[in-house]
Amino acid sequence: MATGIKDKVAIIGMGCTKFGERWDADANALMVEAFNEAIADAGIDPKEIQAAWLATCFDEVNVGKSALSASIALRLPNIAVTRVENFCASGTEAFRAAVYAVASGAYDIVLALGCEKLKDIGYGGLPEFSQAIGILNSLWFPNITAPGCFAMLAGGYCAKYELKMEDVKRAMAHISVKSHANGALNPKAHLQRPVTEEQVLQSPMIAYPLGLFDCCGVSDGAACAIVCSVDVAKALKKKDFVTVKALQISVSNGEEMAFSNWDGAHVVNTEKAAMRAYQEAGIKNPREELSLLEVHDCFSITELVTMEDLHVSERGKAVNDVMDGFFDSTGKIPCQIDGGLKCFGHPIGASGLRMVYEIYLQLHGRADKRQLKDPKLGLTHNLGGFPMMNVVSVAIVGRYT
């Protein structure tokens, strides 16, 4: 019988570049920058890595289709290196592959790496992606945009719970102000300037009700993790190390897109992945047991709705929690303490690993000005796609006990 992943795999080293407009570095240089930090953190020789997984999303404008770019850039010792891609959840997908490879007993020490280089391709946001889910995509969604799809999530949410849009807009503004305040304390963040609620509410409209400050951009950057078995971590004399408590992915099967039972007010896969993750980690009450959250705040409405899909806020009540400061840096469960996608940035293939990186730093007490008091358990939520069709991963990491 399956026993899950809890406490079978340790994270012994992590690295992350500064995210942003990295005109100074190509994708290879970004991978090397993150890798060097992780290797130094793990205190191992690169030759001890036995396998690696690389995550990138837009390979055509980035590193190409294979994993050769990582193997060559990092001079890995002719080991198995595999490239994975699962939309914006690609980074967590690479992390999952590395963790499962160690848990299976196939390898002792494995690398998970995510990288994306998008700022110098000529697009302000995402590159053209009409063929992203195959040739039928352009027939189903001839004019699809990410802001347009998530704007409809806001409308659906208001309609279901009979909320005033101006109240939800104010909560969304609070989310953006909070992420900008957190990002201002993070030297690796893409955006490091605080903003006011008034600035957010008065910003240009992108797709009603989402204004400019409700939307995250894309960034250049890389992040990576080195994982091993708990026995290997102990043999390496690691103390107070971090282990993976749960790692779940849920993928749409087409029912939401067919509008069968979906209400358009939440993301089905977030709830499904979270429930499985809580069971795997042995969490009964996430609102009381989790110390911090790193969620996929591609848009401020996504973060708000995610709080309910994670069963941290009651259905229809996330607005109250947001406005009460429950997710602020001084709140009960800080969310996006590193600035999140909104301000740390969103190099797509690296974002899932960046989320784990922040929780790893927090658990080790190494988050400098944004350090939280005695965190014990952190959750990452990484979403690729749109509200009606997506890939969602939920990872939970914490101190080994």
Side-chain angles (χ1 to χ4, degrees), residues 217-235:
V218 295
S219 312
D220 300 333
C224 65
I226 296 172
V227 299
C228 68
S229 67
V230 166
D231 288 341
V232 169
K234 291 177 179 177

mmCIF file of all heavy atoms in Angstrom, residues 217-235:
data_model
loop_
_atom_site.group_PDB
_atom_site.id
_atom_site.type_symbol
_atom_site.label_atom_id
_atom_site.label_comp_id
_atom_site.label_asym_id
_atom_site.label_seq_id
_atom_site.Cartn_x
_atom_site.Cartn_y
_atom_site.Cartn_z
ATOM 1 N N GLY A 217 3.752 40.193 -13.721
ATOM 2 C CA GLY A 217 4.399 40.154 -15.023
ATOM 3 C C GLY A 217 5.185 38.868 -15.178
ATOM 4 O O GLY A 217 4.950 37.888 -14.475
ATOM 5 N N VAL A 218 6.110 38.839 -16.116
ATOM 6 C CA VAL A 218 7.037 37.717 -16.235
ATOM 7 C C VAL A 218 8.439 38.243 -15.981
ATOM 8 O O VAL A 218 8.701 39.444 -16.093
ATOM 9 C CB VAL A 218 6.957 37.022 -17.610
ATOM 10 C CG1 VAL A 218 5.603 36.380 -17.806
ATOM 11 C CG2 VAL A 218 7.260 38.011 -18.729
ATOM 12 N N SER A 219 9.342 37.325 -15.636
ATOM 13 C CA SER A 219 10.696 37.705 -15.249
ATOM 14 C C SER A 219 11.692 36.719 -15.836
ATOM 15 O O SER A 219 11.333 35.642 -16.303
ATOM 16 C CB SER A 219 10.840 37.691 -13.714
ATOM 17 O OG SER A 219 9.786 38.367 -13.086
ATOM 18 N N ASP A 220 12.961 37.087 -15.743
ATOM 19 C CA ASP A 220 14.053 36.153 -15.977
ATOM 20 C C ASP A 220 14.511 35.636 -14.620
ATOM 21 O O ASP A 220 14.544 36.392 -13.635
ATOM 22 C CB ASP A 220 15.244 36.855 -16.640
ATOM 23 C CG ASP A 220 14.891 37.473 -17.985
ATOM 24 O OD1 ASP A 220 13.967 36.965 -18.635
ATOM 25 O OD2 ASP A 220 15.563 38.451 -18.352
ATOM 26 N N GLY A 221 14.913 34.361 -14.563
ATOM 27 C CA GLY A 221 15.430 33.861 -13.295
ATOM 28 C C GLY A 221 15.549 32.351 -13.275
ATOM 29 O O GLY A 221 15.076 31.648 -14.185
ATOM 30 N N ALA A 222 16.196 31.856 -12.243
ATOM 31 C CA ALA A 222 16.370 30.409 -12.060
ATOM 32 C C ALA A 222 16.372 30.100 -10.569
ATOM 33 O O ALA A 222 16.733 30.953 -9.746
ATOM 34 C CB ALA A 222 17.670 29.924 -12.704
ATOM 35 N N ALA A 223 15.953 28.898 -10.241
ATOM 36 C CA ALA A 223 15.973 28.429 -8.846
ATOM 37 C C ALA A 223 16.212 26.932 -8.860
ATOM 38 O O ALA A 223 15.845 26.243 -9.826
ATOM 39 C CB ALA A 223 14.651 28.758 -8.148
ATOM 40 N N CYS A 224 16.831 26.409 -7.818
ATOM 41 C CA CYS A 224 17.086 24.971 -7.803
ATOM 42 C C CYS A 224 17.140 24.423 -6.382
ATOM 43 O O CYS A 224 17.296 25.163 -5.409
ATOM 44 C CB CYS A 224 18.358 24.618 -8.555
ATOM 45 S SG CYS A 224 19.870 25.243 -7.847
ATOM 46 N N ALA A 225 16.969 23.105 -6.293
ATOM 47 C CA ALA A 225 17.005 22.406 -5.009
ATOM 48 C C ALA A 225 17.833 21.140 -5.147
ATOM 49 O O ALA A 225 17.804 20.479 -6.184
ATOM 50 C CB ALA A 225 15.586 22.047 -4.572
ATOM 51 N N ILE A 226 18.567 20.812 -4.109
ATOM 52 C CA ILE A 226 19.302 19.548 -4.047
ATOM 53 C C ILE A 226 18.660 18.716 -2.947
ATOM 54 O O ILE A 226 18.549 19.171 -1.799
ATOM 55 C CB ILE A 226 20.796 19.794 -3.761
ATOM 56 C CG1 ILE A 226 21.423 20.575 -4.913
ATOM 57 C CG2 ILE A 226 21.526 18.461 -3.554
ATOM 58 C CD1 ILE A 226 22.848 21.039 -4.642
ATOM 59 N N VAL A 227 18.211 17.516 -3.318
ATOM 60 C CA VAL A 227 17.492 16.670 -2.364
ATOM 61 C C VAL A 227 18.202 15.334 -2.207
ATOM 62 O O VAL A 227 18.931 14.878 -3.103
ATOM 63 C CB VAL A 227 16.033 16.446 -2.811
ATOM 64 C CG1 VAL A 227 15.288 17.775 -2.880
ATOM 65 C CG2 VAL A 227 15.968 15.739 -4.162
ATOM 66 N N CYS A 228 17.991 14.706 -1.061
ATOM 67 C CA CYS A 228 18.578 13.395 -0.792
ATOM 68 C C CYS A 228 17.691 12.666 0.211
ATOM 69 O O CYS A 228 16.745 13.245 0.757
ATOM 70 C CB CYS A 228 20.006 13.540 -0.260
ATOM 71 S SG CYS A 228 20.098 14.293 1.380
ATOM 72 N N SER A 229 18.011 11.420 0.471
ATOM 73 C CA SER A 229 17.239 10.682 1.464
ATOM 74 C C SER A 229 17.581 11.202 2.855
ATOM 75 O O SER A 229 18.628 11.829 3.066
ATOM 76 C CB SER A 229 17.543 9.184 1.368
ATOM 77 O OG SER A 229 18.887 8.952 1.756
ATOM 78 N N VAL A 230 16.714 10.928 3.800
ATOM 79 C CA VAL A 230 16.960 11.344 5.182
ATOM 80 C C VAL A 230 18.235 10.673 5.713
ATOM 81 O O VAL A 230 19.041 11.307 6.414
ATOM 82 C CB VAL A 230 15.739 11.001 6.059
ATOM 83 C CG1 VAL A 230 16.072 11.100 7.542
ATOM 84 C CG2 VAL A 230 14.570 11.919 5.701
ATOM 85 N N ASP A 231 18.440 9.414 5.352
ATOM 86 C CA ASP A 231 19.654 8.718 5.807
ATOM 87 C C ASP A 231 20.919 9.382 5.263
ATOM 88 O O ASP A 231 21.915 9.519 5.971
ATOM 89 C CB ASP A 231 19.616 7.243 5.382
ATOM 90 C CG ASP A 231 18.604 6.436 6.185
ATOM 91 O OD1 ASP A 231 18.212 6.915 7.277
ATOM 92 O OD2 ASP A 231 18.210 5.354 5.719
ATOM 93 N N VAL A 232 20.875 9.800 4.004
ATOM 94 C CA VAL A 232 22.041 10.481 3.418
ATOM 95 C C VAL A 232 22.254 11.831 4.096
ATOM 96 O O VAL A 232 23.395 12.229 4.370
ATOM 97 C CB VAL A 232 21.851 10.647 1.895
ATOM 98 C CG1 VAL A 232 22.922 11.576 1.315
ATOM 99 C CG2 VAL A 232 21.903 9.293 1.208
ATOM 100 N N ALA A 233 21.176 12.554 4.376
ATOM 101 C CA ALA A 233 21.304 13.846 5.064
ATOM 102 C C ALA A 233 21.974 13.667 6.424
ATOM 103 O O ALA A 233 22.839 14.461 6.821
ATOM 104 C CB ALA A 233 19.918 14.479 5.228
ATOM 105 N N LYS A 234 21.596 12.611 7.116
ATOM 106 C CA LYS A 234 22.221 12.350 8.421
ATOM 107 C C LYS A 234 23.685 11.969 8.250
ATOM 108 O O LYS A 234 24.548 12.400 9.032
ATOM 109 C CB LYS A 234 21.462 11.232 9.136
ATOM 110 C CG LYS A 234 20.056 11.625 9.583
ATOM 111 C CD LYS A 234 19.334 10.443 10.232
ATOM 112 C CE LYS A 234 17.946 10.842 10.707
ATOM 113 N NZ LYS A 234 17.187 9.696 11.269
ATOM 114 N N ALA A 235 23.988 11.172 7.208
ATOM 115 C CA ALA A 235 25.378 10.779 6.950
ATOM 116 C C ALA A 235 26.242 11.992 6.596
ATOM 117 O O ALA A 235 27.450 12.006 6.884
ATOM 118 C CB ALA A 235 25.416 9.756 5.819
#
